[in-house]
Amino acid sequence: MGSKEKELNASRPQNRPNRIIVAFFLTISFIVIVLLSRTRHASSTSFYAVCSASGSHVYTVDSENRVTECLVVAGTDIVDTGSLVQVTERSAARGLVLDNVHYIPDGAIITPSFTDSHVHSLEYGFHRLLPLDDADSVPAVVDLVKSFILSNPSVLHNTSKWIYGWGFDRTQWPSEDWPNYKPFEGDPLTKGRPIWLTSKDGHAIWTSKKVIELAEQRLPGGQWPEEVEGGVIFKDEDGKPNGIFLDNAQSLIYVAPPEEDNFARFKFTVEDALANGLTAMHDAGFLPETLEFYEKQIKKGNLPIRMYAMHNFNPANPYWGNTTKRLDHNRLKMRSVKLICDGAMRSGGAYLYEPYTDDPTNVGFMRLSPSLLNSTIPRFLKDGWQVNAHAIGDKANGLVLDAFERAIEEYQLEQHSTNKPISRQEAITWLKSLRPRIEHAQIMTPSDLVRIGELGVIASIQPTHATDDMWYGEAKLGPERVRGLFAFRTMMDGGARITLGSDIPVEGINPLEGFYAAITRADKAGNSPHGPNGWFPDQKLTRVEALRGITIDPAYASFSDDILGSLEPGKKADFVVLSKDINVVPTREILDTKVLVTVLDGKIVYRDEKSM
């Protein structure tokens, strides 16, 4: 010990060295404990990085559409993105050791997991149980029903068990005439059973005679109405229902399925969704029993997907917008109302300004009257609900936009009455804050293709509808009007925001099919009525737009863009690993791309064991 140290020690109190030593060791112990605890966190499966070893292949889909090398996850959240060097250094600066790094296969990419903006989740399940898409005639449909009965003992031995199927398409049959219940009555295996089959577009129900008889028992006096506003009951020569019910007429025969049937359907939907990279869905019309079913799954901790629910609007019920509570659970949200305003083009129910070209006496029909729209839509908006209106025909879309205009005018008047006058543009800003949507927005006039953007109304569109309907669109609408059918590019150029969906079970559940359809406007074989370059190719979306349409756009359309839709620090760790780079591969390879891994809240919920 030198003389200076001796002098310093001589000047200190005798017990000071012991205190210093004790304090020193306590400090060191505290630091070691903190570092050890942080190292354990850093080494656990809840703190990890997923990287590409061959450059930047992590598509963040942020506001700048950045592509980077690594994604870092802590628990359920994304905490960093960047190169491996950058994220390692930033982790170390926070006292964390990033030693759990996973690499994706060569050629693979990472994107935010997908969201389908328009689904019918439980209906998809019974499509999976009994799909009718491939039936090319009425006898072929009956054969599929019989095969279903024979392969399910619980159905075979219980003739009162309801049979549900989805997807019959009379446009693919030798004759496009509507069927009736007689083919079911003519076969001993199907006779006397309650059979409920839904058309491909979801707007027609084909039933057995038993379903009609059961419904008749519930009707006042057992009498069927002569007409149904917004719907059609097909009748035989005696004036009795023959088994076909369109749109609003379906409510006359509806019976809520038992919970065990709903759970079987739910299981199919969730498994297929996760296997296709979907971690969120917007269900376009929760009935009361659907809501009850999903709330039960939440209580049981059994909802392995995010569901954004649209509360179904029934004009026969009292107004509920000022009494019904919104839901804001991590996995189940409900703050929107779904109004079904008209029918579908395939069945001739989409409401048009001028008659259908192939049916000059028909302009379709409204399922909700214009006066009801003008009173209901502003009221729901005033009470803070997002309004999502199904509209397919050009006149139906025009009437819905009129109702949104009415809401703007009423809001201006209301503000003026409280001595807080605002401009029309300020009222439009208010409307935009509620993120109103038109579901489908299929056929629109040139002026409405601009108006939808001016009003800030989101167009919730389904690209695979375009590549399906393109084959008969001109026959129904004529060569001029058809240009306003699925005019995605014109709509976007007019300032409209979009969000993409499938409308399952009307179309397939794979979101890459929608991505492909949006950028090619061709069928899976690369064909279209206008050749291999696509149907009205000037209406194509870019790959960036299509990717945003199944990630960040639906997050915005469901008020979730603060936590979902892009790979940014602070958002939920919901992402997918795809086998190919869909943003650069030839278009024919997009449909061959596989989902290798789906991650929800930082945990793997699907893995393709064959490809990994």
Side-chain angles (χ1 to χ4, degrees), residues 127 200 207 246 293 302 422 514 548-549 555 564 571 579:
H127 173 262
K200 178 178 172 61
T207 76
L246 301 186
F293 172 81
N302 186 37
I422 59 172
R548 294 182 71 87
L564 302 177
K571 292 196 173 187
S579 63

Side-chain angles (χ1 to χ4, degrees), residues 134-188:
D134 295 333
D136 58 4
S137 64
V138 170
V141 173
V142 176
D143 286 344
L144 287 174
V145 174
K146 290 168 62 177
S147 296
F148 175 79
I149 294 170
L150 292 170
S151 61
N152 289 273
S154 64
V155 179
L156 178 62
H157 302 300
N158 182 2
T159 57
S160 65
K161 179 79 172 175
W162 282 66
I163 297 167
Y164 295 93
W166 188 295
F168 77 85
D169 185 0
R170 67 189 177 94
T171 67
Q172 304 302 313
W173 299 347
S175 170
E176 291 191 23
D177 293 339
W178 286 102
N180 55 49
Y181 64 71
K182 291 181 180 179
F184 300 125
E185 290 300 295
D187 192 287

